[in-house]
Amino acid sequence: MGSKNAPPGNRTRRPLSIFAVLALCCTFYLLGAWQRSGSGKGDSLALKVNKMHTDCNIVPNLSFEPHHKYVDIVASSEPKAKKFKACDVKYTDYTPCQEQDRAMTFPRENMIYRERHCPPQEEKLRCLIPAPDGYTSPFPWPKSRDYVYYANVPYKSLTVEKAVQNWVQFQGNVFKFPGGGTMFPQGADAYIDELASVIPIADGTVRTALDTGCGVASWGAYLLKRNVIAMSFAPKDNHEAQVQFALERGVPAIIGVLGTIRLPFPSRAFDMAQCSRCLIPWASNDGTQLMEVDRVLRPGGYWILSGPPINWKTYYQTWKRSKEDLKAEQKKIEDLAESLCWEKKYEKGDIAIWRKKINAKSCQRKSPDLCDLDNADDVWYKKMEVCKTPIPEVTSKTEVAGGELKKFPARLFAVPPRIAKGLVPGVKTESYQEDNKLWKKRVTNYKRINRLIGTTRYRNLMDMNAGLGGFAAALESQKSWVMNVVPTIADNTLGVIYERGLIGIYHDWCEGFSTYPRTYDLIHANGLFSLYQDKCNLEDILLEMDRILRPEGSVIIRDEVDVLNKVNKIVGGMRWEAKMMDHEDGPLVPEKILVIVKEYWVGTSKNNTSN
């Protein structure tokens, strides 16, 4: 209790104390309001971090096991994403830049009509490509090499057209691939054994190969068990679904043709290239097609020709051509090869093999005019020229132009010559090694998020913005392969990727990719949408990803959080199940990871869809 006889000074002090406390409370309230308004500089970082926390949906127990159930998500208060409709079932095998109707409007001369011809912006499909009714996940590798479900690629024409050549057989509800080919009816293994008697295939010297006019890619399929990876291509023509069969088998392939446009690969990329009755007119067009093979063939690399005109004495009647015509064609090919400094190493039966000289000093023959070395990798929609692509200079006849590569698998993490020689701007030995460490860490994190990565469930993988190939190198295994895509607007690193013993391609993601629908199990995109956000419609890129992704396939998108929020909004209308994950270094890092699974659904005859 207070004293009745308290001094007068104490009575005046109590109201002053109450007033001081009230004043302090008001001050702190106003300060807090000011900071939350965004005007207070001291708390802006905290607010930004809090916003990232609210934007990221961290789900540690995300399941990516194959399923056929779609669970409705409770709608949020935010505006709903645009819902993309299913395309008509007639578009089940839609390939936007190789469509037959569009192709037929272009000249047939030199296969121009089979080259890439993409639809203009106003004609692009903006719907989801349906899978055929009855679609089933492919067999796991290596069984998929030999068997494909009929429902996934329901075309039987090759079983009739190529019956005697042992390409493919139809049995019950599956296709069987015996490993035969037009020029190797005894099987691809026997054919490769003969090649290996001349070419060092077994010891890792030869790692990357190119198959021009590949059919169903049995050569590439059987090279894989010898640790050689082939990039195979064939046109989309009357031999239905050649490349689709190859990819369904789990073998690298693209739709393509060696016509008038440069191949979408860097110079000095392949250790070996072959044409097995590929029907490319090597002796015509002043030898431009052979010069293009020379451009992409590494110094010391091998070229194999089996089929016309080789062994013309045996086959001239079968081929319905005269002896004189075939003999003259072979002589012209021999002369062209010699002018390119290729040395003939072998000819027996149906097979001839040449080897490209390791440098220009070891070649004293007269060569065609030289192309501009600076444009050796400038290939996107660029016409082939009648000239030989020069190779880097050397100081002695024993030095390999461009640098000697280690045998695979040592070359996978060895410093690539292009980096060691300082030919990749901004990339040095130290930064290359740091990039490898970074991707090993990231891939380890991906495997924690999605336990199917690294298993036979995911066979065909794609890295849409591959950089130095670190993602593919960290995943390297017999269980899977990676198509490393270097965007045409990104730094040119594709030569480095090939020097590591990996494969890849140049591509502009504002256009459709040269493949059939449903050909990849997992797609990885690092920084891709930041790269393209001012170049073309992000919606078009996502719809293209959906087209080439298999039902129940997965996508991993790594990018800045503000870009991923834009992507995630579009994804909400695409029959994709998506979760935002934190960066492996924690929630304070503004880069995030969007992890996606494509739902299983198929088209119906009524242009509806069924789950």
Side-chain angles (χ1 to χ4, degrees), residues 275 280-284 287 290 303-310 321 325-340 342 344 352 354:
C275 162
I280 294 171
W282 301 112
S284 302
L290 206 59
W303 185 60
I304 305 134
L305 178 60
S306 59
I310 305 302
R321 294 176 63 185
D325 182 34
L326 287 162
K327 183 179 179 180
E329 182 181 345
Q330 179 158 348
K331 176 66 166 57
K332 194 164 185 179
I333 291 173
E334 303 262 11
D335 292 343
L336 280 167
E338 186 175 346
S339 72
L340 293 170
W342 295 5
K344 193 172 187 179
W354 285 262

Side-chain angles (χ1 to χ4, degrees), residues 142-157:
K143 188 175 181 179
S144 66
R145 184 193 69 183
D146 303 325
Y147 295 96
V148 165
Y149 286 111
Y150 169 76
N152 293 6
V153 194
Y155 304 110
K156 295 182 182 178
S157 64

Side-chain angles (χ1 to χ4, degrees), residues 241-384:
Q242 296 175 87
V243 167
Q244 193 173 17
F245 273 126
L247 287 157
E248 195 70 18
R249 298 173 72 186
V251 181
I254 58 168
I255 301 171
V257 64
L258 188 50
T260 65
I261 302 296
R262 284 182 160 189
L263 295 172
F265 313 120
S267 58
R268 311 192 315 277
F270 296 98
D271 299 310
M272 175 171 65
Q274 84 136 2
C275 162
S276 177
R277 194 166 169 77
C278 64
L279 304 181
I280 294 171
W282 301 112
S284 302
N285 303 310
D286 298 316
T288 52
Q289 280 96 341
L290 206 59
M291 291 174 188
E292 179 63 2
V293 171
D294 179 72
R295 182 185 69 83
V296 300
L297 194 63
R298 186 166 289 132
Y302 296 85
W303 185 60
I304 305 134
L305 178 60
S306 59
I310 305 302
N311 204 5
W312 54 267
K313 293 178 182 179
T314 301
Y315 294 115
Y316 75 95
Q317 289 180 320
T318 303
W319 295 336
K320 298 179 180 179
R321 294 176 63 185
S322 68
K323 290 182 179 181
E324 293 74 21
D325 182 34
L326 287 162
K327 183 179 179 180
E329 182 181 345
Q330 179 158 348
K331 176 66 166 57
K332 194 164 185 179
I333 291 173
E334 303 262 11
D335 292 343
L336 280 167
E338 186 175 346
S339 72
L340 293 170
C341 289
W342 295 5
E343 183 181 0
K344 193 172 187 179
K345 291 291 187 180
Y346 181 87
E347 183 177 349
K348 184 179 180 181
D350 300 340
I351 299 173
I353 301 174
W354 285 262
R355 190 184 185 206
K356 182 176 178 178
K357 293 285 188 179
I358 62 171
N359 58 48
K361 281 185 176 291
S362 59
C363 176
Q364 303 302 322
R365 302 177 182 92
K366 181 181 179 181
S367 296
D369 293 337
L370 293 180
C371 309
D372 184 352
L373 180 60
D374 293 337
N375 296 329
D377 293 348
D378 184 13
V379 301
W380 193 243
Y381 289 122
K382 296 299 174 61
K383 292 280 187 180
M384 291 187 295

Side-chain angles (χ1 to χ4, degrees), residues 383-488:
K383 292 280 187 180
M384 291 187 295
E385 300 177 22
V386 184
C387 57
K388 174 180 169 59
T389 301
I391 53 180
E393 295 182 0
V394 295
T395 57
S396 72
K397 289 186 177 181
T398 59
E399 183 183 349
V400 178
E404 188 169 3
L405 298 178
K406 293 185 179 297
K407 295 179 180 181
F408 195 84
R411 74 169 74 166
L412 186 62
F413 289 104
V415 179
R418 280 173 167 89
I419 291 176
K421 294 176 181 293
L423 301 178
V424 185
V427 181
K428 300 184 181 299
T429 297
E430 296 75 19
S431 56
Y432 166 74
Q433 292 168 339
E434 285 300 316
D435 187 74
N436 286 331
K437 291 178 184 177
L438 178 65
W439 280 107
K440 286 180 180 179
K441 177 181 177 180
R442 288 175 170 179
V443 167
T444 299
N445 182 50
Y446 291 162
K447 289 181 177 179
R448 282 196 293 263
I449 295 171
N450 184 342
R451 295 180 183 179
L452 296 178
I453 296 175
T455 73
T456 56
R457 178 66 177 80
Y458 294 153
R459 172 65 185 167
N460 302 353
L461 281 63
M462 174 182 283
D463 194 353
M464 297 177 71
N465 186 19
L468 299 174
F471 171 77
L475 277 169
E476 172 59 29
S477 143
Q478 288 283 338
K479 296 175 183 177
S480 63
W481 61 273
V482 180
M483 179 68 77
N484 293 280
V485 183
V486 172
T488 55

